[in-house]
Amino acid sequence: MSEESTTTSRSYLTPFNMIAGIIIILGLIVTALRFTKGLATVTNLSDYNPWGIWIGFDLMVGVALAAGGYVTSAAVYLFGMKKYHSAVRPAILTGFLGYALVVLALHYDVGRPWRLPYPFIVQQGTTSLLFEVAACVALYLTVLFLEFSPAALEWLGLKKVRRLAIRFTLILTIFGVILSTLHQSSLGALFLIAPSKLHPLWYSSYLPIYFFISSIIAGLSMVIFEGTLAHRYYAHKMDSAHMEEKDHVALGFGKAASFVLAGYLITKVIGISAGNHWHLLGTGYGIWYLVELLGFVGLPCFLYALGVREKNLVLIRWTAVLTVIGVVLNRLNISLIAFNWHLPSSERYFPHWMEIVISAFIVTIGLVAYRFIVSRMPIFYEHPDYKESH
Amino acid sequence: MSISRRKFLGWLAAAGGGAVLGKSADAASNKHFTGYPGSKGVLYDSVLCIGCRNCETGCNKVNDLPAPDKPFDDLTVMDTHRRTDDKTYTVVNKYQNPNYPKSPLYRKIQCNHCLEPACASACFVRAFTKTPVGAVTYNASVCVGCRYCMIACPFEIPAYEYDSAFSPRIMKCTMCYPRISKGQLPGCVEACPTEALSFGKRDQLLKLARERIRKYPGRYVEHIYGEREMGGTSWLYLSAVPFKEIGMREDLGVTPAPELTAGVLNAVPMVVGIWPVLLTGIYAINKRNQKVADAESEAAVTVALDQAKLEAETKLSEALAKAEKEKAEAIEQEVKKALEEAAKAQEADDSDEGEEGTGETKTEEDA
């Protein structure tokens, strides 16, 4: 895209643009169907399965994978790890886009999206975990927007407003961590009300803690993963500081992820012990649980440690992919796969192809927006006018 | 960026204020609520149910629900197990009788009107109300359609109008709230030809149920379903066989749904209160460490600089002295050299005068 903006003669028919174009056209058609014919036309949702992939993937996974923003800004601005400074802006950007898309996806999922502000302006259902999620997501989206705004303001050349925005960095970071702690954990706590529907291996009173810890893991791994992709496609956009720091970021974040994964694994084992669910590990669901726990928590914990010890960046990057898949799997297990496990297979949910189209459509919008922004705004480099200003 | 004490206290106050105004922790507290006094309920005695589906008809009629695909007098629909949906508030299902295979068992399904409803606790816009009369009602005019109530309901009752693009609603039994408010019977109870359904005060119904169990030993299992399940429900059940034989879950426990989330909700103000202190503290400690480190390195640099300066000075003065000495020597040497040269020149002049002839010959040879 950046090449296209500089050399206008180049064709827009790149493979990315073609595939993105097809998905967006399909998405727009399904969008029209969704908002004229209702949910029944485009989804496989039922009275037994009120939440499908628009919640399980777009909301649950989306929020978890957008955790890089708060993790990175906390590391740099609160924990004083200034050597990762170049990772903050890309992480804030993906966090902001992630949350914006989560909110967009919710407009598809809820029956009357124009009423989404009702919980704040009409009646507050404060006994609901969903109220907490909604309030925190709405506030955090605002925080991320403000945290992201300096990049946009530098691009627009609004120096005075930018100076004002920069002054709020610390308080926004603290606010962001509070809000993230609350809503990342509350997404897990949403399922606390349904012990009779979620498989006992996944149901635990520690669910909010699991969701919070795994969001840190997801955030760290996504920063490594996105950094790898960004470096592959946008190396020409990166300044020397970014290029120098990126390997430190992978090593440092990989090390942190290994530690947090180890802690997560321990708390999960404590959870099984607390519920005394050892006997369930031999069942079909139990084996699936072990696949998640050993293959996507234990293994990446070990591989990250190995990669950091041997300074093997390739291994660290692949481990980041494995870890991200693990978090996706965990969220899908809790919201869809191990949810309603007691029902006969005829009543179980499998997404309609049009639901998948919308999910792909939303991810594609995110990618296009990301490309638009990084090829224009100072994300991977410091704007020459604002060096030395932080 | 640095923070002043005033700024920090300001944040603390803001966080504290937010936590205090945030939410009432009592709303989801673990106080046990045993129902509004004198609230109504329905006792369903499955032993007396004959599976006639009249209750379904009555419900359909009084609630103005759409006509079903198959008429209500078609009893073959009971061959499959059905659930409530967006067009049906109540269904009666047929189950095999383990004791008497020839006489099937029936079970009516509808909203159980929990004393502490999961749906009401889960709704983020308070669309559900546990009314003092006992009915759990739903207000479609505020409903956003998130369907969290359907996730939360342990009895899998609320259904959704997925077909509606513009005004989808949650659909569920209201215990005929408009009718019972006027002193009428719920539609299903009124339509029941046997005494399988009894409407009345919940306390009285519990007594009635106990009496039936006592009066007819062996006819009922000794359990009133709904007395304590999920903290108690307004709809109560009697059965001749264990309840799971007629499709009712026996593993729901007695904890009211709001209690399941109360702990987490109560932790919210604590996170809001403690996190700013903790995070600002971490920031301040790092800032201070940085400052100390900076000061230390600055001091080290100053010491090093001083030392270097001193060294340089000594070196310089040494060099200067050396240079001076060398210079003096050089001058001396120059003078000496010049004197020697002068002496040589004098000598040469003297000899030149004496050897003029040889000098001429040499010039010729060179040419």
Side-chain angles (χ1 to χ4, degrees), chain A residues 81-219:
Chain A
M81 302 178 188
K82 296 211 170 103
K83 57 180 170 172
Y84 305 132
H85 190 267
S86 64
V88 174
R89 276 205 179 167
I92 294 282
L93 171 64
T94 44
F96 172 57
L97 288 176
Y99 277 84
L101 296 172
V102 163
V103 174
L104 176 67
L106 281 178
H107 283 76
Y108 283 81
D109 186 77
V110 303
R112 305 195 205 195
W114 53 92
R115 286 183 176 179
L116 275 171
Y118 273 28
F120 311 117
I121 58 172
V122 178
Q123 285 192 133
Q124 292 80 38
T126 51
T127 56
S128 172
L129 258 318
L130 199 61
F131 181 81
E132 193 189 324
V133 171
C136 290
V137 167
L139 285 171
Y140 188 50
L141 183 61
T142 316
V143 167
L144 278 170
F145 173 75
L146 293 174
E147 284 187 310
F148 166 70
S149 64
L153 293 169
E154 284 169 17
W155 178 56
L156 296 168
L158 300 170
K159 296 194 177 185
K160 274 189 183 165
V161 192
R162 180 208 171 265
R163 207 174 308 137
L164 186 73
I166 286 283
R167 287 180 59 189
F168 290 103
T169 305
L170 179 60
I171 187 150
L172 284 177
T173 305
I174 293 178
F175 207 40
V177 175
I178 297 169
L179 292 171
S180 295
T181 309
L182 290 176
H183 73 257
Q184 293 284 3
S185 58
S186 297
L187 280 179
L190 283 180
F191 295 96
L192 285 181
I193 205 160
S196 56
K197 295 182 184 175
L198 182 57
H199 190 280
L201 277 172
W202 281 273
Y203 184 92
S204 161
S205 52
Y206 300 134
L207 264 176
I209 293 162
Y210 292 159
F211 267 58
F212 177 60
I213 300 177
S214 54
S215 82
I216 298 172
I217 295 164

Side-chain angles (χ1 to χ4, degrees), chain A residues 39-40 46-47 50-51 77-79 109 111-112 114-115 123-125 127-128 132 171 181 190 196-197 342, chain B residues 11 121-122 124-126 140 143-148 150-151 153 156 160 162-163 168 249 265 268 275 283 286:
Chain A
L39 287 164
S46 66
D47 292 331
W51 285 358
Y77 295 126
L78 300 180
F79 293 82
D109 186 77
R112 305 195 205 195
W114 53 92
R115 286 183 176 179
Q123 285 192 133
Q124 292 80 38
T127 56
S128 172
E132 193 189 324
I171 187 150
T181 309
L190 283 180
S196 56
K197 295 182 184 175
H342 62 289
Chain B
W11 295 350
S121 161
F124 70 163
V125 67
R126 277 194 286 133
C143 177
V144 181
C146 71
R147 308 188 295 284
Y148 187 33
M150 297 166 72
I151 293 281
C153 178
E156 294 165 332
Y160 198 62
Y162 289 107
D163 286 319
R249 293 190 67 166
L265 282 171
V268 171
W275 247 215
Y283 169 79
N286 277 316

Side-chain angles (χ1 to χ4, degrees), chain A residues 245-256:
Chain A
E245 284 178 16
K246 81 183 166 50
D247 290 351
H248 291 297
V249 170
L251 283 170
F253 278 41
K255 193 176 187 176

